[in-house]
Amino acid sequence: MILLDGKQTADHIKREIAAQVESIVANGGKRPHLAAILVGDDGASQTYVANKEKACAQVGFKSTVFRFPSDTAEDFLLGKIDYLNHDDDVDGFIVQLPLPKHINEQNIINAISPDKDVDGFHPINVGKMVLGLPSFVSATPYGIMALLEHYNIETKGKHCVVLGRSNIVGRPIANLLSQKGNVGDCTVTVCHSRTVDIASYTLQADIIIAAIGVPQFLKEDMVTEGAVVIDVGITRVPADTKSGFKLAGDVDFDRVAPKCSYITPVPGGVGPMTIISLLKNTLQAASHHAI
Ligand code: GUN
């Protein structure tokens, strides 16, 4: 069993991005600038945004975080998005999800200019991604693809079973892996909460992507010998730690790992790759704006 070390892979890519940024700046170019909008006080969202800020600093990006209270009106947020769409100093920005219930998330996503939508959530970017056209690919699926590529994992002709059909992970990764290409050419099955007998599918899988948000859902008797398992789960569960919680994946790691050819740990697997992908999208956005 080989551990797919997302932290080490992400650090490697971070160094490459940092070198590119230094070269852009040395040649008189502008430092890439990522902005984030954070509404409310959800603990997980605050941590994710803080991690994104830290990663920006590590590669030499400028970053700005706009924090608003949980009772912020949708119209106010739309105004802020309009401002960022037109701010030439900002290359890309994200609105951290989930948003408070009174705000319609799709209205917010639709308002982001597609050429600054480094989360790849705007329908134009999703549509382009599905057609295999150049686009911003959302960070988690992009990170999973980069991890599979980094470890030279064969995907051609393999059966990949995706657990989960979210717009952020399940749907896009299923689509990307089914496309022609180096990391791709898979036969893909998408399982979800209404699937009957999920194990009957996972037992046929060469590659399993677990993205359902149910801690330890994937058990040893649901996986065949030699499978590649990618765990996207990051549920916070109570624990005897300083923060009072720990991150739990969707895979019963201790029992599943011995059966796998490759497996991602949680934390340190997909998570760091996700942040790197956001940085890659921002660098791409900056290069477009520099032309
Ligand atoms: N919430 C959970 N994942 C993400 C993400 O990738 N981007 C944004 N904006 N919010 C999220």
Side-chain angles (χ1 to χ4, degrees), residues 106-129:
Q106 197 60 51
N107 286 349
I108 297 298
I109 291 168
N110 292 351
I112 300 171
S113 172
D115 73 330
K116 293 196 178 185
D117 169 39
V118 284
D119 252 336
F121 290 171
H122 190 284
I124 289 204
N125 281 314
V126 176
K128 284 184 174 175
M129 181 274 292

Side-chain angles (χ1 to χ4, degrees), residues 37 74 77-78 81-82 85 93-99 103-127 136 138 167-168:
I37 294 179
E74 185 172 316
L77 216 51
L78 290 169
I81 289 169
D82 187 52
N85 283 341
F93 66 97
I94 64 156
V95 180
Q96 187 65 31
L97 305 179
L99 288 168
I103 298 174
N104 180 318
E105 281 186 359
Q106 197 60 51
N107 286 349
I108 297 298
I109 291 168
N110 292 351
I112 300 171
S113 172
D115 73 330
K116 293 196 178 185
D117 169 39
V118 284
D119 252 336
F121 290 171
H122 190 284
I124 289 204
N125 281 314
V126 176
F136 292 121
S138 56
N167 288 344
I168 293 184

